[in-house]
């Protein structure tokens, strides 16, 4: 195929992916009460499962905790004429993207796979399933861990008792969206490392060399998005560090397979 033919093929894959997101988003649009009252506004209430979990831990250890408060000391408001409608539209679109992520991956795979050898396609079986599972795990981690921890900290933070937190709906929804999508993409780290190793940009030696730097970056990231206590930071940091270690193992496996292939080709030439 020519370059323009490839672009045309890519265009149709993008169109189908966009249509899938729009269709799912339209369905989500009519589920307004569930999307907002249950999902988006869930972390703003103290009966959210994450708050109860951390409250039980703090109580069992004999500590006072903001997770045990009756309610969070802030209100969510809308200050724009079309603010609530706009939030409804964007929440539906992002719901469409998250739910339709496996199909988007499927379209991406259909575009890439014709350029692979038969053996490479066989070795990549399960790509869509594994990548989707990792993405959804990241989404759940972002929603149930990162979002409530950041909301609890930022929503209760005050520089003065005379200043009250009245949070705009768009700002609140953006906080959850960024946490959820960012964690979903972050959990794709093993898949990303797999392909980067295949093209020779990453090796286990490089990842081991910069592991200490990665640890510092993860801890800083955890400190920024969580309340200022060590327990919360460790809870956020542990899954990311585990993913990093898994990525090192995957990178080593890929290089080992590539070395076997090269050795086999060398024998065949002899």
């Amino acid at each position: 195929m020519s370059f323009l033919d490839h672009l045309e093929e890519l265009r149709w894959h993008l169109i189908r992916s966009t249509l899938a997101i729009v269709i799912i988003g339209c369905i989500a649009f009519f589920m307004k009460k569930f999307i907002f009252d249950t999902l988006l506004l869930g972390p703003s209430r103290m009966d959210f499962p994450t708050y109860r979990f951390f409250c039980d831990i703090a109580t069992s250890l004999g500590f006072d905790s903001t997770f045990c408060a009756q309610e969070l000391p802030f209100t969510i408001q809308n200050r724009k004429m079309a603010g609530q409608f706009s939030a409804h539209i964007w929440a539906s679109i992002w719901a469409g993207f998250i739910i339709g992520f496996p199909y988007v991956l499927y379209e991406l795979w259909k575009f890439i796979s014709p350029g692979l050898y038969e053996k490479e396609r066989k070795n990549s079986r399960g790509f869509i399933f594994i990548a989707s599972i990792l993405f959804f795990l990241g989404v759940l981690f972002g929603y149930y861990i990162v979002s409530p921890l950041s909301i609890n900290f930022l929503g209760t933070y005050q520089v003065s008792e005379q200043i009250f937190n009245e949070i705009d709906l768009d700002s609140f929804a953006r906080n959850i969206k960024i946490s959820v999508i960012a964690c979903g993409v972050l959990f794709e780290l093993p898949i990303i490392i797999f392909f980067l190793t295949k093209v020779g940009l990453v090796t286990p030696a490089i990842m081991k060399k910069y592991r200490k730097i990665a640890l510092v970056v993860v801890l800083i990231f955890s400190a920024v998005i969580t309340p200022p206590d060590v327990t919360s930071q460790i809870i956020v940091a542990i899954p990311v560090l585990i993913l990093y270690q898994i990525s090192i193992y995957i990178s080593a496996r890929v290089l080992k397979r590539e070395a076997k292939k090269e050795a086999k080709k060398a024998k065949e030439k002899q």
Side-chain angles (χ1 to χ4, degrees), residues 27-100:
I27 296 172
F29 185 84
F30 293 102
M31 300 174 67
K32 179 175 66 175
K33 188 174 181 61
F34 175 75
I35 294 293
F36 280 87
D37 291 351
T38 303
L39 293 182
L40 271 179
L41 298 179
S44 68
R45 298 188 295 269
M46 292 310 298
D47 61 351
F48 194 68
T50 305
Y51 300 142
R52 294 203 306 266
F53 174 75
F54 283 111
C55 177
D56 291 341
I57 291 178
T59 303
S60 64
L61 295 174
F63 297 134
D64 292 329
S65 174
T66 56
F67 293 114
C68 297
Q70 292 297 317
E71 61 180 15
L72 288 168
F74 66 81
T75 57
I76 300 173
Q77 61 180 357
N78 172 57
R79 296 179 299 167
K80 297 177 182 178
M81 182 65 72
Q84 295 199 47
F85 180 71
S86 177
H88 190 187
I89 293 290
W90 280 108
S92 301
I93 291 173
W94 283 110
F97 173 76
I98 292 171
I99 297 171

Side-chain angles (χ1 to χ4, degrees), residues 9 25 79 84 99 114 167 219 230:
E9 186 72 16
R79 296 179 299 167
Q84 295 199 47
I99 297 171
I167 301 171
L219 290 176
V230 177

Side-chain angles (χ1 to χ4, degrees), residues 8-253:
E8 179 67 14
E9 186 72 16
L10 176 61
R11 186 172 74 91
W12 281 106
H13 286 298
L14 292 175
I15 289 173
R16 285 193 289 269
S17 298
T18 303
L19 281 175
I21 292 171
V22 170
I23 291 170
I24 298 172
C26 288
I27 296 172
F29 185 84
F30 293 102
M31 300 174 67
K32 179 175 66 175
K33 188 174 181 61
F34 175 75
I35 294 293
F36 280 87
D37 291 351
T38 303
L39 293 182
L40 271 179
L41 298 179
S44 68
R45 298 188 295 269
M46 292 310 298
D47 61 351
F48 194 68
T50 305
Y51 300 142
R52 294 203 306 266
F53 174 75
F54 283 111
C55 177
D56 291 341
I57 291 178
T59 303
S60 64
L61 295 174
F63 297 134
D64 292 329
S65 174
T66 56
F67 293 114
C68 297
Q70 292 297 317
E71 61 180 15
L72 288 168
F74 66 81
T75 57
I76 300 173
Q77 61 180 357
N78 172 57
R79 296 179 299 167
K80 297 177 182 178
M81 182 65 72
Q84 295 199 47
F85 180 71
S86 177
H88 190 187
I89 293 290
W90 280 108
S92 301
I93 291 173
W94 283 110
F97 173 76
I98 292 171
I99 297 171
F101 184 76
Y103 182 77
V104 174
L105 276 182
Y106 170 71
E107 288 293 341
L108 176 65
W109 180 247
K110 280 181 67 177
F111 177 70
I112 294 174
S113 59
L116 301 176
Y117 293 109
E118 182 63 29
K119 189 175 290 185
E120 290 175 326
R121 282 199 291 269
K122 287 181 180 179
N123 291 334
S124 301
R125 282 177 182 172
F127 160 74
I128 296 173
F129 176 77
I130 295 171
S132 298
I133 291 295
L134 288 173
F135 178 77
F136 288 132
L137 285 175
V139 166
L140 291 174
F141 181 76
Y143 180 72
Y144 281 104
I145 303 297
V146 177
S147 289
L149 290 179
S150 62
I151 289 169
N152 182 271
F153 172 58
L154 297 175
T156 57
Y157 189 84
Q158 285 182 296
V159 294
S160 170
E161 292 184 357
Q162 300 179 50
I163 302 174
F164 300 97
N165 286 327
E166 296 179 345
I167 301 171
D168 191 71
L169 173 62
D170 181 62
S171 176
F172 182 85
R174 191 188 306 118
N175 182 283
I176 295 180
K177 177 191 72 178
I178 291 174
S179 299
V180 167
I181 299 298
C183 288
V185 173
L186 183 63
F187 271 55
E188 296 291 339
L189 182 62
I191 301 291
I192 295 170
I193 293 299
F194 173 82
F195 285 107
L196 290 179
T197 304
K198 290 283 285 184
V199 298
L201 294 177
V202 171
T203 65
I206 292 175
M207 295 189 69
K208 288 177 181 177
K209 179 181 178 180
Y210 293 104
R211 181 158 42 194
K212 291 181 180 179
I213 297 175
L215 173 61
V216 172
V217 172
V218 169
L219 290 176
I220 292 173
F221 173 75
S222 303
V224 169
I225 66 174
T226 60
D229 64 88
V230 177
T231 305
S232 300
Q233 293 169 17
I234 291 174
I235 288 172
V236 172
I238 285 176
V240 181
L241 294 176
I242 290 173
L243 283 171
Y244 191 85
Q245 192 61 41
I246 291 172
S247 299
I248 293 176
Y249 172 76
I250 289 173
S251 181
R253 289 277 297 176

